[in-house]
């Protein structure tokens, strides 16, 4: 897939701000603490302390903990799931996971709470956050434009473009969609992106 797939830091990073079922706390105990306001639900069975900054890394780690360990290094969080990790969409009901075409997607079937999409991934399409592979901001935005219905895509795309630290520019995003090889819905995607262009004051 990409060289980063087998990187050691993907295994089990320790993020002290994140609480999930372990030898220290059971899920029932974490739920009780959340009920008492000691912890805040983050995603799945993961919780954070009130007042802690919920970062891309924290969301990515919470997402990683919902993915079975046996496939964690073979999948990439993408589309609206990646947009959520970047703080630009609501928490997903089901994780949207990309599987590089070099892997057999059939071997990953049966994964609960996940939607699997077979795609082609380039070297610059994937980053590592909190023990989870995540599609890069530009790849995330292009995939959302191409594969998500406009009414759900537009709010996420707008937020992704507004986050300067993500480095996405509308012109570059439009070019990425235009040059995407043999993908359906390209016209619809370009029409969606055209709605994000600044209005001409004239």
């Amino acid at each position: 897939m990409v060289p980063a797939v087998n990187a050691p830091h993907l295994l089990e990073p320790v993020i002290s701000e994140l609480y999930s079922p372990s030898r220290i706390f059971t899920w029932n105990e974490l739920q009780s603490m959340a009920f008492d306001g000691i912890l805040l639900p983050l995603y799945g069975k993961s919780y954070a302390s009130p007042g802690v900054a919920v970062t891309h890394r924290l969301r990515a780690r919470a997402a990683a903990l919902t993915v079975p360990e046996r496939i964690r290094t073979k999948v990439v969080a993408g589309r609206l799931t990646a947009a959520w990790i970047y703080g630009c969409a609501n928490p997903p009901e089901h994780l949207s996971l990309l599987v590089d075409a070099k892997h057999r997607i059939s071997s990953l079937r049966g994964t609960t709470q996940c939607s699997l999409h077979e795609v082609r991934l380039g070297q610059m399409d994937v980053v590592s956050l909190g023990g989870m592979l995540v599609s890069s901001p530009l790849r995330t935005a292009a995939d959302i434009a191409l594969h998500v219905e406009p009414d759900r895509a537009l709010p996420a795309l707008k937020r992704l473009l507004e986050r300067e630290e993500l480095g996405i520019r509308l012109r570059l995003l439009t070019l990425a969609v235009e040059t995407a090889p043999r993908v359906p819905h390209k016209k619809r995607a370009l029409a969606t992106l055209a709605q994000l262009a600044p209005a001409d004051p004239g």
Side-chain angles (χ1 to χ4, degrees):
M1 192 162 121
V2 291
V5 167
N6 295 316
H9 59 271
L10 283 178
L11 298 181
E12 291 297 331
V14 176
I15 301 179
S16 58
E17 309 96 311
L18 189 73
Y19 296 85
S20 58
S22 65
R23 287 176 295 178
I24 301 173
F25 296 115
T26 66
W27 188 30
N28 286 339
E29 289 171 329
L30 292 172
Q31 288 177 303
S32 296
M33 286 189 277
F35 183 78
D36 293 336
I38 300 169
L39 295 176
L40 296 175
L42 183 56
Y43 189 75
K45 296 182 179 181
S46 296
Y47 298 81
S49 299
V52 165
V54 179
T55 61
H56 306 344
R57 186 167 174 259
L58 208 59
R59 291 190 198 93
R61 186 63 191 147
L65 291 173
T66 70
V67 177
E69 193 172 348
R70 67 182 178 85
I71 70 165
R72 205 174 287 163
T73 59
K74 297 182 178 123
V75 297
V76 177
R79 303 185 184 180
L80 288 175
T81 296
W84 166 70
I85 287 172
Y86 292 125
C88 299
N90 294 327
E93 185 176 340
H94 300 289
L95 294 181
S96 183
L97 301 177
L98 311 180
V99 182
D100 191 88
K102 294 173 188 173
H103 288 290
R104 290 181 58 187
I105 197 169
S106 59
S107 67
L108 308 179
R109 295 286 184 198
T111 303
T112 57
Q113 302 300 310
C114 299
S115 299
L116 296 171
H117 309 279
E118 188 172 320
V119 299
R120 294 193 177 277
L121 293 166
Q123 292 278 2
M124 305 301 291
D125 288 337
V126 179
V127 298
S128 174
L129 289 169
M132 185 84 196
L133 293 170
V134 183
S135 59
S136 67
L138 180 60
R139 175 64 190 250
T140 297
D143 281 347
I144 289 173
L146 285 163
H147 302 293
V148 178
E149 303 82 4
D151 60 328
R152 296 170 64 219
L154 277 168
L157 289 170
K158 186 175 180 183
R159 292 189 195 108
L160 284 164
L161 287 164
E162 287 173 347
R163 294 285 179 92
E164 290 189 9
E165 71 273 17
L166 297 179
I168 309 172
R169 300 291 176 267
L170 182 57
R171 179 184 286 184
L172 186 61
L173 174 56
T174 302
L175 183 62
V177 170
E178 286 175 342
T179 57
R182 295 188 217 159
V183 291
H185 311 306
K186 191 180 287 191
K187 280 188 178 180
R188 185 189 73 182
L190 292 171
T192 298
L193 295 179
Q195 296 182 56
L196 295 167
D200 186 346

